[in-house]
Amino acid sequence: MKLKIQIVVESDSGDTQIIQEVTQINRNCLQPENLGLSLAEAKILLQNTQKVLVEQQITEYEKQNSECQLCGKKLLHKDKRFITYRTLFGKLRLKCNRLFHCTCTEQQPRTLNPVAKLLSERTSPELLYLESKYASLMSYGLSNKLLQEVLPIEGEINPASIRNNLHTFGKRLDSELPEEAGVLFEGCPRDWEDLPKPDLPLVVGMDGGYVRFYDRKTSKSGHFQVIAGKSIKADKTSKCFGMVYCYDTKPQRRVFEVLKSQGMQMNQQVTFLSDGEESIRDLQYYLNPHAEHILDWFHITMRITVMKQVAKGITKEEPLGGISSKSIQEKLKKLKWSLWHGNVFKALSKIEDLIDDAVVLGSEDYDGEPSPEAKKLWSYLEEFETYISNNAQYIVNYGDRYYNGERISSSFVESTVNQVISKRFVKKQQMRWTPKGTHLLIQVRTQVLNQEWAKKFQSWYPGLNLESTSTLYEAA
């Protein structure tokens, strides 16, 4: 069996202008592997179909722009040029006319190229969309291989081009953010009273991760911090965000705009959860007049759990003055109970008692060998006392919040850090990053993860239709 596929081009009046064959397919005995089109045949079909379509589009466009827009006089022809344009279905070498401007007005330069002016980016918007979307979710090299595997663009793009295009979009996203401000409240308290009744509180959690750093000047490696967070509405819908704090010039504005996009009002309460790190907490200030700042319960109980494990390792045959591993574990349990109910004063008193016990067990004056585990516990307790003292004003009655169905832990941020940072900048890879490249990639990545990238791209290219494009986020 021989199958010929042709393109028929008709004029607006319905007259046939062109009949051109684009591909020919031969089939013998039916086998599972030759049923329908193969990927290679589909690539050829799409590539050849596009060539015919583009030729007709260029011809029609040049015809429309061959006359002066002011006086209607036909523009004089200067020469022909070729421009390269990359699309989803291969690289095109377009022949286009260069014309002289009309003499009815003086213009500089004297010539114009309508096609070159129209296609100034030299890459189709849909190809740019797919490149940036895939590159935000996987490595630049894998993105390049995937596109070449499924589209007829073999050898016509490279990872460096994909990276550069993605950085351009990251810069564009940054430029669209309003300027940073010391206080980001909008309006005045009198106006806030007239706002509609707000929804339930927004819950915002933030945490940091570390990415391998590469310094091109000294060739030294290290790590720099990346902050990731998530904002959750009452209906459980959420948005994630991220930034490189040492590079970003609008960190608070970035978080504020995410909250605004979720409908935050100035009369609505927002609960901010953090682990107590100063750089993260600074981002949370002055974003909402009714903000509530809470120390994450997960980070409190995690420290207590570690100290319990250390206390179990303390072995003494005869307890001294009632001090033993068992008694310390019991006191740690009571300490946790005090913090669970937000009693900071009582908790600090219990920590001081525990430090005294650890000092006794780890002292050289104690009968027998001093316990190294007790010394380790002593160190942990002193660090924990400082941690609780510095964050005392952010410790609440966690038990009361828990029984009322309110969030007390930023555990949901741990998965966000993994989603935004770890999966793309995984430590197992040998790739090293610059703060600038990481920050710009994260801006595109969070747009993709929030399923907003297609909408943002269409706002930049209004004529682009991405409704039928599959959502890679769901597959990832």
Side-chain angles (χ1 to χ4, degrees):
M1 180 179 66
K2 182 181 293 185
L3 177 67
K4 293 183 179 181
I5 300 177
Q6 296 178 330
I7 287 183
V8 178
V9 180
E10 294 183 350
S11 64
D12 294 337
S13 61
D15 299 330
T16 301
Q17 293 180 319
I18 297 175
I19 299 177
Q20 184 171 335
E21 182 179 319
V22 292
T23 190
Q24 181 174 302
I25 299 171
N26 297 315
R27 288 289 186 271
N28 296 319
C29 182
L30 178 63
Q31 297 292 331
E33 56 269 21
N34 65 15
L35 179 63
L37 288 173
S38 66
L39 181 59
E41 291 169 340
K43 287 182 178 181
I44 293 172
L45 175 60
L46 290 169
Q47 203 168 32
N48 293 340
T49 302
Q50 179 177 250
K51 286 180 181 178
V52 177
L53 174 62
V54 168
E55 287 176 1
Q56 299 304 311
Q57 286 180 299
I58 295 296
T59 301
E60 184 68 21
Y61 184 77
E62 288 192 325
K63 184 179 179 181
Q64 295 171 357
N65 290 271
S66 62
E67 297 179 351
C68 177
Q69 300 296 323
L70 298 176
C71 65
K73 183 179 178 181
K74 187 174 180 62
L75 300 178
L76 297 177
H77 180 267
K78 178 175 175 60
D79 58 23
K80 289 187 180 291
R81 295 291 177 92
F82 289 91
I83 64 170
T84 299
Y85 192 74
R86 291 173 174 82
T87 71
L88 288 171
F89 308 115
K91 181 169 64 176
L92 300 172
R93 195 164 182 263
L94 306 177
K95 181 191 260 186
C96 48
N97 295 320
R98 196 154 61 122
L99 309 172
F100 285 105
H101 279 293
C102 184
T103 56
C104 66
T105 57
E106 292 186 5
Q107 299 187 46
Q108 292 295 333
R110 295 181 57 218
T111 60
L112 75 153
N113 189 328
V115 176
K117 183 179 179 181
L118 177 69
L119 307 177
S120 57
E121 288 190 341
R122 298 295 194 269
T123 305
S124 68
E126 196 167 8
L127 178 58
L128 290 173
Y129 168 76
L130 289 178
E131 285 180 1
S132 57
K133 183 177 182 179
Y134 287 127
S136 70
L137 298 173
M138 62 183 77
S139 70
Y140 298 120
L142 285 177
S143 303
N144 182 34
K145 290 180 181 179
L146 176 61
L147 290 172
Q148 292 189 22
E149 184 73 24
V150 299
L151 297 172
I153 53 177
E154 292 84 354
E156 295 173 3
I157 56 176
N158 58 69
S161 297
I162 295 176
R163 180 196 62 205
N164 294 336
N165 290 334
L166 184 140
H167 285 183
T168 300
F169 292 130
K171 292 177 183 177
R172 189 169 183 178
L173 289 170
D174 271 356
S175 67
E176 291 181 351
L177 277 178
E179 291 301 317
E180 189 74 293
V183 178
L184 294 170
F185 302 163
E186 294 182 342
C188 65
R190 182 183 59 188
D191 298 330
W192 299 338
E193 295 176 359
D194 298 330
L195 291 173
K197 184 178 179 181
D199 200 352
L200 292 175
L202 284 168
V203 179
V204 183
M206 300 183 193
D207 205 349
Y210 288 88
V211 173
R212 197 187 302 269
F213 172 67
Y214 174 64
D215 188 348
R216 291 189 176 92
K217 294 182 180 179
T218 63
S219 297
K220 292 182 180 179
S221 62
H223 293 84
F224 59 88
Q225 187 185 44
V226 179
I227 294 176
K230 179 180 282 188
S231 173
I232 304 177
K233 295 179 64 177
D235 59 3
K236 306 302 180 184
T237 59
S238 63
K239 285 187 179 182
C240 60
F241 54 88
M243 70 203 76
V244 177
Y245 192 66
C246 64
Y247 174 83
D248 195 6
T249 58
K250 305 174 183 178
Q252 280 191 300
R253 173 63 71 175
R254 192 176 308 281
V255 180
F256 182 75
E257 292 300 321
V258 171
L259 299 180
K260 274 185 61 179
S261 69
Q262 291 186 291
M264 180 187 72
Q265 298 178 182
M266 290 297 103
N267 62 342
Q268 181 179 5
Q269 186 177 356
V270 180
T271 301
F272 290 98
L273 294 163
S274 71
D275 61 357
E277 186 176 349
E278 186 176 356
S279 60
I280 293 178
R281 183 156 286 152
D282 287 344
L283 284 176
Q284 300 174 344
Y285 289 136
Y286 310 116
L287 297 177
N288 185 283
H290 300 285
E292 179 184 23
H293 300 273
I294 297 175
L295 182 65
D296 174 31
W297 172 251
F298 170 75
H299 286 84
I300 295 176
T301 188
M302 181 177 63
R303 285 173 165 80
I304 296 176
T305 301
V306 170
M307 290 188 288
K308 281 184 177 180
Q309 295 300 320
V310 174
K312 288 179 180 179
I314 299 175
T315 56
K316 292 292 180 182
E317 294 181 0
E318 296 292 335
L320 178 66
I323 303 173
S324 65
S325 172
K326 187 175 181 180
S327 68
I328 290 178
Q329 292 180 56
E330 187 65 28
K331 287 183 179 181
L332 286 170
K333 183 178 179 181
K334 292 179 180 179
L335 169 62
K336 184 177 179 179
W337 186 254
S338 297
L339 290 171
W340 174 253
H341 291 287
N343 195 334
V344 179
F345 178 80
K346 194 172 183 179
L348 288 172
S349 177
K350 291 181 182 296
I351 295 174
E352 290 178 0
D353 291 342
L354 282 164
I355 290 175
D356 292 339
D357 292 349
V359 169
V360 171
L361 291 177
S363 173
E364 296 286 348
D365 298 333
Y366 180 62
D367 295 338
E369 292 294 328
S371 172
E373 289 80 8
K375 290 185 176 180
K376 185 185 294 185
L377 178 63
W378 179 11
S379 175
Y380 283 151
L381 283 166
E382 287 188 327
E383 186 273 334
F384 189 63
E385 183 181 31
T386 303
Y387 181 73
I388 296 299
S389 298
N390 292 342
N391 294 282
Q393 59 181 317
Y394 307 112
I395 295 175
V396 298
N397 190 328
Y398 297 100
D400 186 57
R401 289 182 62 88
Y402 177 77
Y403 291 122
N404 283 284
E406 300 177 76
R407 288 188 181 270
I408 60 173
S409 173
S410 63
S411 56
F412 63 92
V413 184
E414 301 298 323
S415 62
T416 304
V417 172
N418 183 52
Q419 185 183 44
V420 175
I421 304 173
S422 301
K423 285 187 177 181
R424 184 63 178 85
F425 308 92
V426 61
K427 295 179 181 179
K428 293 180 181 179
Q429 294 180 356
Q430 297 303 312
M431 185 70 177
R432 293 185 291 175
W433 302 82
T434 62
K436 177 182 177 181
T438 302
H439 176 79
L440 297 177
L441 193 155
I442 284 177
Q443 301 320 305
V444 178
R445 180 174 175 82
T446 52
Q447 289 277 326
V448 174
L449 294 176
N450 292 335
Q451 302 186 48
E452 296 176 331
W453 189 229
K455 183 179 179 181
K456 173 60 69 174
F457 225 83
Q458 285 177 311
S459 70
W460 293 338
Y461 302 94
L464 184 62
N465 182 14
L466 297 173
E467 293 180 359
S468 59
T469 304
S470 61
T471 304
L472 184 61
Y473 166 71
E474 296 176 357

